[in-house]
């Protein structure tokens, strides 16, 4: 224990201590003299400003269903004025919305024709897995911050996503349809699913335009019924995947047994 007297000298933050005693293993030791200390504010580490963050497109996500999900057909649950009752993606949006996988861009708007970004897709998969921790460092300088940072680090560590370069992930860039096929193909392998099925792309007018790196994944996605044509017998592999398309494709993926 110790006792002392202390006095603050003025308002400049200077303190003078005197009369200190301390007990060390039963022996009392007295410190003679005065000691003066000056208060100083601890240095603050500068914080690098974070880049603008794109709001997430989804809220809490439940674990992936182990059986084909049952969608209520009440047609009264959705608050989105731009998702019509007869829309081809209606069931998918309803299921994903009810389970917290996707939400609207506003309370009353889903924006089905808006592009889905690479960061959004990665975060959806991360949350489907209950947001596991990633031990590896994030190599992408443009994905260090933001709602997608942990998801990108996890997905890169697990080999589900790669960057657009060694140091860039381009999280706010639209994800193309062939990129989505590749990500889901790798995610299926991560889940231990059979990815051996493959369909010919020759029946599509633009089947030959699928990038070499995506060809195997696209053949699997078409065989599994995840991706189909967008009209005029086209796959549109390098077109951005819209929110409606992503909802439908992800719904089909979750429905697969």
């Amino acid at each position: 224990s110790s006792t002392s007297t202390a006095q603050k000298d003025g308002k400049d933050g200077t303190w003078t201590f005197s009369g200190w005693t301390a007990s060390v293993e039963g022996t009392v030791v007295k410190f003679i003299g005065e000691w003066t200390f000056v208060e100083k504010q601890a240095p603050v580490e500068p914080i690098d400003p974070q880049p603008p963050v794109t709001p997430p497109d989804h809220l809490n996500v439940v674990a992936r269903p182990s059986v084909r999900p049952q969608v209520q057909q009440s047609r009264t649950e959705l608050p989105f004025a731009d998702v019509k009752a007869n829309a081809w993606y209606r069931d998918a949006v309803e299921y994903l919305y009810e389970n917290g996988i996707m939400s609207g861009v506003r309370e009353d708007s889903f924006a089905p024709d808006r592009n889905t970004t690479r960061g959004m897709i990665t975060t959806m998969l991360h949350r489907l897995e209950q947001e596991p921790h990633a031990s590896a460092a994030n190599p992408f300088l443009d994905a260090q911050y933001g709602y997608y940072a942990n998801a990108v680090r996890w997905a890169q560590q697990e080999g589900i996503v790669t960057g657009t370069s060694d140091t860039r992930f381009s999280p706010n860039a639209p994800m193309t349809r062939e990129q989505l096929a590749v990500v889901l193909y790798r995610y299926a392998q991560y889940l231990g699913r059979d990815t051996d099925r493959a369909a010919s792309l020759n029946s599509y007018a633009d089947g030959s335009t699928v990038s070499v790196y995506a060809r195997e994944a696209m053949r699997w996605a078409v065989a599994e019924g995840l991706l189909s044509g967008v009209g005029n017998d086209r796959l549109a592999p390098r077109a951005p995947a819209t929110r409606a398309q992503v909802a439908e494709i992800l719904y089909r993926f979750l429905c697969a047994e």
Side-chain angles (χ1 to χ4, degrees):
S1 63
S2 63
T3 61
S4 65
T5 61
Q7 180 178 356
K8 188 171 184 179
D9 304 327
K11 297 181 179 180
D12 60 355
T14 300
W15 290 79
T16 300
F17 292 81
S18 62
W20 284 16
T21 61
S23 177
V24 182
E25 296 182 353
T27 302
V28 176
V29 180
K30 183 174 183 180
F31 297 89
I32 301 174
E34 294 183 348
W35 293 267
T36 300
F37 302 92
V38 178
E39 294 178 358
K40 288 186 178 180
Q41 185 176 3
V44 178
E45 291 291 336
I47 300 176
D48 294 330
Q50 296 186 3
V53 175
T54 302
D57 233 11
H58 26 67
L59 302 175
N60 296 327
V61 176
V62 298
R64 61 184 183 278
S66 57
V67 296
R68 190 176 187 85
Q70 299 297 316
V71 179
Q72 297 179 356
Q73 301 299 323
S74 64
R75 303 303 190 191
T76 61
E77 299 291 334
L78 290 180
F80 309 129
D82 54 358
V83 179
K84 304 302 181 184
N86 61 349
W88 56 267
Y89 48 83
R90 167 76 189 219
D91 285 352
V93 172
E94 187 170 340
Y95 174 76
L96 298 179
Y97 172 75
E98 288 179 355
N99 286 278
I101 299 172
M102 294 183 75
S103 65
V105 297
R106 294 191 307 273
E107 287 187 5
D108 61 348
S109 176
F110 183 76
D113 297 325
R114 185 175 298 182
N115 295 336
T116 313
T117 69
R118 290 166 52 84
M120 291 174 184
I121 295 293
T122 306
T123 302
M124 288 182 197
L125 301 184
H126 187 227
R127 292 184 174 179
L128 279 171
E129 293 302 307
Q130 302 299 302
E131 300 182 326
H133 174 71
S135 57
N138 188 341
F140 305 122
L141 301 180
D142 59 350
Q144 299 293 322
Y145 305 104
Y147 71 90
Y148 43 72
N150 290 332
V152 171
R153 182 169 58 182
W154 163 78
Q156 190 272 338
Q157 174 181 292
E158 299 298 339
I160 298 171
V161 301
T162 57
T164 54
S165 74
D166 290 341
T167 59
R168 294 187 62 82
F169 183 72
S170 304
N172 295 316
M175 178 167 280
T176 66
R177 287 166 53 84
E178 67 179 8
Q179 287 174 352
L180 179 60
V182 171
V183 168
L184 290 180
Y185 179 73
R186 293 171 179 164
Y187 181 51
Q189 293 176 326
Y190 168 81
L191 297 177
R193 290 191 185 183
D194 182 6
T195 56
D196 290 338
R197 294 185 63 190
S200 172
L201 304 180
N202 294 335
S203 59
Y204 295 97
D206 56 355
S208 61
T209 66
V210 175
S211 300
V212 174
Y213 79 88
R215 182 165 292 273
E216 183 177 1
M218 285 289 282
R219 293 182 63 194
W220 164 82
V222 171
E224 292 290 336
L226 302 181
L227 270 75
S228 56
V230 295
N232 298 322
D233 295 325
R234 294 186 306 108
L235 272 176
R238 302 187 188 186
T242 67
R243 286 169 51 82
Q245 291 172 355
V246 168
E248 181 65 25
I249 292 168
L250 188 55
Y251 177 65
R252 294 175 184 176
F253 182 91
L254 295 174
C255 286
E257 298 180 356

